[in-house]
Each structure stands twice: as structure tokens, then as C-alpha cells.
Amino acid sequence: MKCHVLLIRCARTRCCIIFLIFGFIFLIGRLYQYRRYQLMSAIFRASDYELMQSLNPNLSNSKHFIPGMFLKNVLPRNESYCRFRFGLPDMLEINESDVDFTPELGEDSDYRVIYNVLGSNYNVSDKKNNVTFCTHATPEFFYYVVEVLQRWEGPVSIATFVPSTDASLILCLAERLCSCLPDMARVSLHFIFPLSHPPRLIACPSTLSDQAGCGMPKPLANKSLQTFRNSEAMTYPVNVARNVARMQSQTTFTLVADVELFPSKNLVGNFLKMVDKLKQKSENGLNDFASRIVYVLPVFEVGANEAVPSVKSKLLEMYSQNQAFYFHRWVCSHCQRFPGLQRWLLKKSSSMDESIKPFIVVRREFPFHRWEPVFIGTNSEPFYSEMLTWEGQQDKMTQMHEMCLMKYHFVILDGAFLVHAPGVKRKADVLRDSWRNDQQKKNSALYERIMKSINKKLKENSRCRIH
Ligand SMILES: *[C@@H]1O[C@H](CO)[C@@H](O)[C@H](O)[C@H]1NC(C)=O
Ligand SMILES: *[C@@H]1O[C@H](CO)[C@@H](O)[C@H](O)[C@H]1NC(C)=O
Ligand SMILES: *[C@@H]1O[C@H](CO)[C@@H](O)[C@H](O)[C@H]1NC(C)=O
Ligand SMILES: *[C@@H]1O[C@H](CO)[C@@H](O)[C@H](O)[C@H]1NC(C)=O
Ligand SMILES: *[C@@H]1O[C@H](CO)[C@@H](O)[C@H](O)[C@H]1NC(C)=O
Ligand SMILES: *[C@@H]1O[C@H](CO)[C@@H](O)[C@H](O)[C@H]1NC(C)=O
């Protein structure tokens, strides 16, 4: 009898233990699911650098990248390499005819533009046969332009968002760089501002002007710069900026890219050589591309403490050692995973560091309908939707959808690529999260509306999906 009871007890405790073990496994499973859910929602909300770091400790932000370190020991000269207009940098003398509408929405936009506040100041024999790096920035990110200039041989067109006194911040930084770096002569600079807050000039804050050298001013390096945009919690009209920068390029080809994306070596020269070759081939009838072609640059990122690779052999070496990843590998795996990525990574040839070649030609169709390629094109590609804000994300998807319906060919390039600045926080550090969610909802609603109007305008294609 006693034995029986003991047996039952024993069985019970065993049951208990087994039950506990199962319970534990279940809990772990739930935890895993939750984490996955978080990941997925992050994927659909796109980039969150912090999340990426939590997944890969090697990308830790402990030593964040500071642009312009190579200027640290350079002193400003007593002359400017730039050509300011409108009485700048001391005053801003403009009249109505100097203020333009935005490229896409025009008069209906809440924003206005002043083009070529800084005109590019160079003489080349053939201005057309070149590629302009078209980019955009707020004062916090303006210094990245020097890193782009270090790596890009062509002209640079940069649209800056300058509500009210933020115009002064940009001008302070630009004026300093213009007496530090001869390459600034290749830069054309544009102002974008809300109608309600036109640019306003005040004295440079002493924290920006006190520093003697050409390196990045302290408040930018330690991310303590106060901007008007931040204090007013303004959204960033990224697509107005992209359109404005592109519109002002004087060259046949344009690359619209974020200012923290650094190009590989000799990209402009080698790209133009490749285009020449393709042209010759097409004249010989070997190549009958339609006119709707853009050239895609694969995008990668590297750990916070790594150097930016400038040639493919170095990139591949870093990739094999887990020091480089394709862009947003950890948070938005579909955004930059281009068709043929694996083959691209396997393709090694002796000339891959010295020349650019077409790798494959693809359409941006299902299952790559969420791919957001960065590409070299011309000024005839569709505009970016100016109603979408940066904070709301999905900001490039409408243009991509339009290009899908227009049956664009995407030529993925071999021997050329972009690398994101090491360990830089991205969209995450803009503003409060709840506020950002509101923006995402706003963009989502707009996104549906814009997609519908695009679908109405163009011929249907079931392979161009919008979700
Ligand atoms: C810099 O230029 C200003 C006028 O353009 C001149 O007065 C000043 O002496 C110059 N300083 C140096 C160090 O050359
Ligand atoms: C506005 O400025 C432009 C040059 O910047 C000048 O040609 C034009 O006459 C000015 N218009 C008015 C109304 O002052
Ligand atoms: C560019 O050429 C013009 C004349 O065509 C000349 O006045 C100007 O000084 C040149 N600019 C530079 C930076 O060489
Ligand atoms: C492109 O423009 C830059 C100046 O912005 C010039 O230095 C370079 O030589 C040009 N490249 C070609 C191929 O013309
Ligand atoms: C950043 O630098 C500024 C200027 O030197 C300084 O006043 C400020 O205290 C620093 N902020 C942080 C968070 O280090
Ligand atoms: C982190 O870096 C170390 C050494 O550089 C490497 O062995 C390891 O695989 C990396 N971890 C990840 C997750 O990439």
C-alpha cells in the first residue's frame, strides 16, 4: 500500500518535471516567436540600426564613425573654393523669382526650393558626359559630403533641408568646408524649406565657429547639435530633397543616394567607360535594350570599427570574414538583397577591381517587389513621391513600383558598389517612437493612394506587386 502511494507520488513528480520541461520549452518557443514577430515588424518598418546591433554584437556602436577625420589637422585657408550666390554666406538677398516650386508637386507642395545657393565651380570640357552624385542632408549629416567627395570623381548635388535658422547651420558648415577642401568646388547646394519657415540667417553658433581646424565640429561629432527641425519636431521631406538634387544635375547620368553611402573606387570613370562599350555594342546590333535602363549599385555595410572597402576584392575578403554584409542584412533582408546576390559574391575575376561590367539584367518584379535598389539613371526616371516623409519610411517604393510598371531594365553592375558609413545610426535616431509610428501610418495611407493613382496611369502588370 505504502509502496503504491510512493509510486504514484514518484510518477506525479516525474509528471511534474516533464510538465515543467514542456512548459519551459513552450515558453522558449513563445519567446522566440515574439522575437521573430519583433523582427518581422521591424522588417516591415524597415531599418533600425539598433536592432541590427542587438543581433550582431560585432556591429556595436561603441566607436561611431566620424566623417572628415582626414581634415582634422588641416587649417582653413583665407580663400573659398566655392561660389556662393545671393550675397551668401553673409546675407541672403533673394526675391520671389529665386524661389522655386518643388519638382513633383509644384505649387501644391508645402515646401519651396532655392536652387544653387552654392553653384558648382568647375570647368570641364564635356559637362554632360559625367555622373552627378545627388544627395540630401540636414545639418547633422552635412559633413558626410566630404567623405563622398573623397571617393567620387564627378559633380555632387546636395539638397539640404533648412527650415528657419537651420539655414545658418548649413551655411556655417559649408563656408568652413569651402576654405578647407578644394573638392568643395564640385558641390552644388540647394535649400529646401517649409513655406511657413523660410530660411533665416543668424550668427554661427560659437560651438561651430570656435574650432580652429577643419575637422568635424564637436557638437556634430557628439551628436548634441540643436536644430530648428528637431526643436519643432518637423518631418524630413526626403523625397523633395531627392528630386531637387537630381533636377539640378547638369550631367547625363545621376546617382541618387543617401549621403552616408560611399562609392567604390573610380566609379564614375569606369562606369562611363562601360557605357561607351555598351553603346558601341548596341550600334553593332548586339544589344537591343530599350531606353528604359538603370544601373544598379549593390549596397553593403561594415562593422563599426572596420574601414570602408573601396574595391571588390577587399569587400569580398571582408564579407567572407563576417566584417561586411549586404545592406540591412539584419533588419530588412529583402530591401537590398538583389537578384543574383550570391552569384555576385562568388564572381571573382582579375579585372573586378579595375573595371565595371554589367552583371545581370533583371526586372524589379515578384518576388523582388520590395527591393529598393540604388541606381545610376538619368533625369527621365519617375520622381520620388514628395508626399512621403523619411520618418514614415517606404519612401522609395512608389517610384520603384512605377518603374516596374514601365518595364524598366535593371542592370546590376559588377565591380562597383556602395558601402554605408560604418556603424551609423539611421532612421532610429530621428524622433520619438510613437510620433514615428504616426508618420508610418500616414505614409502607409498615402502609399496606398499613390499606388492606386500610379496603377490607373499605367498598364497593369500582375508581377508588379505593391505588398
Ligand atoms: C585674409 O584676407 C583678408 C581680406 O580678404 C585680409 O584682410 C587678411 O589679412 C588675410 N589674412 C591672411 C592671414 O592672409
Ligand atoms: C530678382 O533677382 C533677379 C536676379 O537674381 C533679377 O534679375 C530680377 O530683376 C529681380 N527681380 C525683382 C523684382 O527684383
Ligand atoms: C571657368 O571658365 C571661365 C571662362 O570660361 C573662367 O572665367 C573661370 O575662371 C573658370 N573657372 C575656373 C574655376 O577655372
Ligand atoms: C567629371 O567631372 C569632374 C568634375 O566635377 C571632372 O573632374 C572629371 O574629370 C569629369 N569626368 C569626366 C570623365 O569627364
Ligand atoms: C558635445 O560637445 C559640446 C561642445 O564642445 C559640449 O558643450 C557638450 O557638452 C558635448 N555633449 C556631450 C553629450 O558630450
Ligand atoms: C564577430 O567577429 C569575430 C572576430 O572578428 C568573428 O569570429 C565572429 O564570427 C563575428 N560574429 C558574427 C556574428 O559575425
Side-chain angles (χ1 to χ4, degrees):
M1 187 63 190
K2 235 185 182 173
C3 206
H4 247 118
V5 174
L6 270 182
L7 258 178
I8 290 171
R9 259 200 204 148
C10 173
R12 268 204 199 136
T13 41
R14 232 184 237 171
C15 257
C16 228
I17 289 171
I18 290 170
F19 182 76
L20 276 179
I21 289 174
F22 272 106
F24 192 66
I25 290 172
F26 175 75
L27 268 180
I28 299 249
R30 286 311 287 248
L31 214 79
Y32 176 77
Q33 259 183 4
Y34 176 68
R35 210 175 144 79
R36 225 184 123 67
Y37 162 77
Q38 274 191 324
L39 250 179
M40 291 310 278
S41 53
I43 284 171
F44 287 103
R45 294 207 227 117
S47 56
D48 224 304
Y49 196 80
E50 273 148 16
L51 190 81
M52 185 167 99
Q53 281 170 5
S54 73
L55 289 168
N56 187 340
N58 284 2
L59 301 175
S60 131
N61 212 3
S62 56
K63 207 181 85 182
H64 72 258
F65 179 82
I66 296 183
M69 283 304 271
F70 66 95
L71 291 172
K72 211 174 81 183
N73 298 319
V74 176
L75 287 176
R77 303 194 358 162
N78 202 5
E79 62 170 308
S80 179
Y81 298 106
C82 302
R83 191 161 49 85
F84 283 97
R85 295 174 65 217
F86 309 116
L88 291 168
D90 304 320
M91 45 188 146
L92 182 60
E93 297 170 322
I94 48 167
N95 61 33
E96 258 170 48
S97 64
D98 300 319
V99 177
D100 281 278
F101 296 136
T102 67
E104 189 208 30
L105 290 181
E107 202 171 349
D108 295 336
S109 172
D110 294 334
Y111 300 97
R112 292 292 180 268
V113 187
I114 303 175
Y115 284 113
N116 293 309
V117 167
L118 200 65
S120 67
N121 185 20
Y122 63 91
N123 287 340
V124 280
S125 50
D126 188 0
K127 267 196 179 182
K128 280 263 162 224
N129 189 33
N130 218 313
V131 192
T132 304
F133 193 100
C134 306
T135 188
H136 54 90
T138 55
E140 296 96 317
F141 285 90
F142 188 71
Y143 240 74
Y144 280 94
V145 76
V146 304
E147 296 288 337
V148 171
L149 286 167
Q150 280 290 91
R151 295 166 172 88
W152 185 259
E153 319 128 69
V156 172
S157 170
I158 180 165
T160 54
F161 184 51
V162 293
S164 186
T165 50
D166 284 1
S168 278
L169 297 180
I170 290 285
L171 287 170
C172 294
L173 298 171
E175 194 186 1
R176 169 193 294 260
L177 285 177
C178 281
S179 52
C180 288
L181 187 65
D183 286 322
M184 283 297 288
R186 282 187 282 138
V187 173
S188 58
L189 174 74
H190 323 290
F191 277 176
I192 293 164
F193 52 92
L195 264 175
S196 51
H197 295 285
R200 201 157 73 81
L201 295 199
I202 53 168
C204 286
S206 57
T207 46
L208 288 191
S209 54
D210 280 356
Q211 193 175 332
C214 289
M216 195 187 203
K218 188 85 193 292
L220 286 176
N222 73 10
K223 302 189 175 175
S224 63
L225 184 74
Q226 292 301 312
T227 62
F228 184 81
R229 180 183 66 89
N230 262 327
S231 67
E232 300 282 310
M234 284 182 170
T235 52
Y236 181 39
V238 62
N239 284 344
V240 178
R242 288 188 177 122
N243 288 340
V244 161
R246 199 187 80 182
M247 283 294 285
Q248 280 307 299
S249 76
Q250 309 291 310
T251 59
T252 305
F253 294 104
T254 59
L255 167 64
V256 180
D258 289 352
V259 73
E260 314 107 285
L261 292 181
F262 303 156
S264 56
K265 207 171 157 186
N266 295 334
L267 214 162
V268 175
N270 288 345
F271 173 79
L272 293 172
K273 271 185 212 154
M274 180 203 74
V275 170
D276 269 353
K277 268 190 207 155
L278 285 182
K279 239 188 233 157
Q280 280 167 20
K281 268 192 194 167
S282 113
E283 272 155 23
N284 298 337
L286 289 172
N287 202 323
D288 59 354
F289 281 157
S291 58
R292 286 172 178 170
I293 307 178
V294 293
Y295 302 89
V296 177
L297 298 168
V299 187
F300 294 87
E301 59 196 352
V302 297
N305 302 320
E306 308 296 341
V308 175
S310 63
V311 291
K312 187 176 173 186
S313 57
K314 180 69 190 163
L315 173 74
L316 292 183
E317 188 189 314
M318 291 175 71
Y319 202 92
S320 68
Q321 292 169 1
N322 267 337
Q323 294 165 343
F325 311 88
Y326 76 82
F327 193 41
H328 285 164
R329 164 81 177 76
W330 305 99
V331 288
C332 184
S333 54
H334 53 258
C335 293
Q336 291 295 331
R337 187 181 51 209
F338 54 90
L341 167 67
Q342 290 310 323
R343 270 199 296 144
W344 194 92
L345 290 169
L346 288 172
K347 188 157 185 234
K348 293 170 191 169
S349 71
S350 54
S351 66
M352 68 186 176
D353 291 348
E354 276 93 46
S355 67
I356 298 179
K357 294 197 178 93
F359 176 60
I360 48 172
V361 185
V362 296
R363 299 272 177 88
R364 185 189 165 281
E365 294 176 342
F366 181 82
F368 291 98
H369 61 293
R370 294 189 68 89
W371 180 36
E372 292 186 8
V374 179
F375 56 81
I376 297 178
T378 64
N379 237 325
S380 56
E381 268 71 71
F383 281 127
Y384 297 88
S385 294
E386 290 178 1
M387 279 192 281
L388 302 179
T389 61
W390 185 57
E391 289 80 0
Q393 311 191 327
Q394 291 190 318
D395 43 52
K396 286 200 266 188
M397 297 289 278
T398 57
Q399 185 210 37
M400 294 317 307
H401 181 60
E402 201 166 342
M403 289 172 73
C404 182
L405 289 174
M406 291 167 84
K407 297 193 179 334
Y408 262 89
H409 296 271
F410 291 80
V411 180
I412 294 174
L413 297 180
D414 193 22
F417 55 89
L418 299 171
V419 180
H420 191 273
V424 177
K425 264 194 202 173
R426 285 171 58 77
K427 306 190 179 185
D429 64 348
V430 183
L431 281 169
R432 297 184 310 274
D433 254 342
S434 62
W435 181 82
R436 208 165 134 222
N437 280 340
D438 287 349
Q439 295 305 319
Q440 279 160 3
K441 276 188 207 132
K442 224 187 227 171
N443 261 22
S444 292
L446 284 170
Y447 178 75
E448 300 291 329
R449 234 173 66 203
I450 298 167
M451 289 301 201
K452 265 190 200 138
S453 79
I454 291 174
N455 282 345
K456 243 185 241 163
K457 200 170 66 178
L458 293 164
K459 195 162 162 271
E460 197 184 320
N461 177 351
S462 60
R463 299 186 63 83
C464 302
R465 302 208 182 162
I466 62 175
H467 291 291

